[in-house]
Amino acid sequence: HLQMQESGPGLVKPPETLSLTCTVSGASVSNNSYCWGWIRQPPGKGLQWIGSICYSVNSYYNPSLESRVTISIDASKAQFSLRLSSVTAADTALYYCARHPRWYPDFDYWGQGTLVTVSS
Amino acid sequence: QAVVTQEPSLTVSPGGTVTLTCGSSSGAVTSGHYPYWFQRKPGQAPRTLIYDATNRHSSTPARFSGSLLGGETALTLSGAQPDDEAEYYCLLSYSGAWVFGGGTKLTVL
C-alpha cells in the first residue's frame, strides 16, 4: 500500500535554505490523478499548507510563502522535494508530505512528519 | 492572506451535540470557499470528514454533518462518542490557495 516518508536535516541555520524530500512507495508520483503537497505545523499552532505539485503541471504555493518556496518532483526516484529559502525561527515546524487528488485538498495519505528546527 | 478562525477548544458530553464553527477574516464563508473539515487524533494523520461544506467523506460517520450558516461554515457532531475526542481543522480555498484554521480541540467529557 502507499507509504510516504519525509527526510532531510533536522536543524537549519538562519537564513539558510531548508530542503526536504518525500519518498513515495506503493504509488506513482507521475499519476496525473493526484498531486503531492507539503504541509507544516509549528509548535503549538495549527496546520499550514505550503504548496503542491502535480506531475506535468506547474506547482502552486501558499501566497504567504510563495516568494521563498520551490517544490519539485523526480518521478525516476519516486520523490518530490521542498525548498524553503531564507528561513527564520518562524519556520520551525513539523513538516508533512501528503497526497491529494488533483485540485482538491482531500489529503488521503500522509507521511509521519519530520521536525525541522531553525536555530543558529 | 486571510485568517481562518476556529474555537480553540470545546467540550461535549457523551451523547451530546456540539457545533464547531469556522470563519474567514475576509468576509462571509460561502460555498465558493469549498470548505473542508478534518479530524486529527494524537499520533495520527488528519483524515477528511467533510468536503465542499456539506458532503460527508465515504468513511465519515453519519453523526458528523457540515453546513453553511450565518457567514461561517460549521461542523456539527450529534451523539458524541469518546472516540470523537480529537482536534478538528477546517480548510478554506481562496482562489486555489488553501488555508487551514487554527484547529479546535474537542473534549468528550
Side-chain angles (χ1 to χ4, degrees):
Chain A
H1 72 287
L2 193 154
Q3 291 184 305
M4 305 174 70
Q5 179 67 58
E6 306 88 350
S7 59
L11 179 63
V12 181
K13 291 183 171 62
E16 295 179 351
T17 296
L18 178 161
S19 296
L20 295 174
T21 295
C22 182
T23 301
V24 179
S25 59
S28 173
V29 299
S30 57
N31 184 331
N32 284 325
S33 295
Y34 292 97
C35 300
W36 310 91
W38 289 96
I39 297 137
R40 70 181 183 179
Q41 184 169 28
K45 296 187 178 182
L47 300 168
Q48 182 182 35
W49 171 71
I50 299 170
S52 296
I53 188 165
C54 317
Y55 188 75
S56 76
V57 179
N58 286 342
S59 49
Y60 52 111
Y61 305 126
N62 186 320
S64 69
L65 298 169
E66 188 166 15
S67 64
R68 299 194 291 130
V69 173
T70 302
I71 297 176
S72 58
I73 197 165
D74 186 339
S76 67
K77 295 182 179 179
Q79 294 177 336
F80 61 104
S81 299
L82 168 71
R83 287 175 57 85
L84 180 66
S85 64
S86 305
V87 296
T88 69
D91 295 308
T92 294
L94 196 54
Y95 285 77
Y96 296 94
C97 59
R99 187 185 81 162
H100 61 88
R102 182 170 276 202
W103 312 128
Y104 302 101
D106 189 2
F107 302 99
D108 57 358
Y109 287 93
W110 296 66
Q112 64 184 26
T114 186
L115 179 63
V116 178
T117 301
V118 178
S119 175
S120 55
Chain B
Q1 184 180 43
V3 175
V4 178
T5 56
Q6 297 183 245
E7 300 90 353
S9 63
L10 290 170
T11 299
V12 62
S13 301
T17 296
V18 64
T19 297
L20 290 66
T21 65
C22 174
S24 171
S25 64
S26 66
V29 177
T30 70
S31 58
H33 290 100
Y34 306 101
Y36 272 67
W37 286 94
F38 301 86
Q39 179 193 61
R40 186 180 189 189
K41 295 181 179 178
Q44 297 183 19
R47 71 174 183 118
T48 305
L49 292 177
I50 301 288
Y51 64 96
D52 294 348
T54 61
N55 298 295
R56 283 189 206 90
H57 206 260
S58 56
S59 60
T60 302
R63 61 183 181 274
F64 290 95
S65 62
S67 62
L68 287 169
L69 187 66
E72 294 183 318
T73 189
L75 175 70
T76 298
L77 171 58
S78 303
Q81 299 183 3
D83 188 54
D84 298 327
E85 185 160 296
E87 284 186 313
Y88 292 84
Y89 291 90
C90 67
L91 179 151
L92 301 179
S93 297
Y94 297 86
S95 301
W98 299 332
V99 182
F100 285 95
T104 296
K105 181 174 172 55
L106 181 66
T107 301
V108 181
L109 189 61

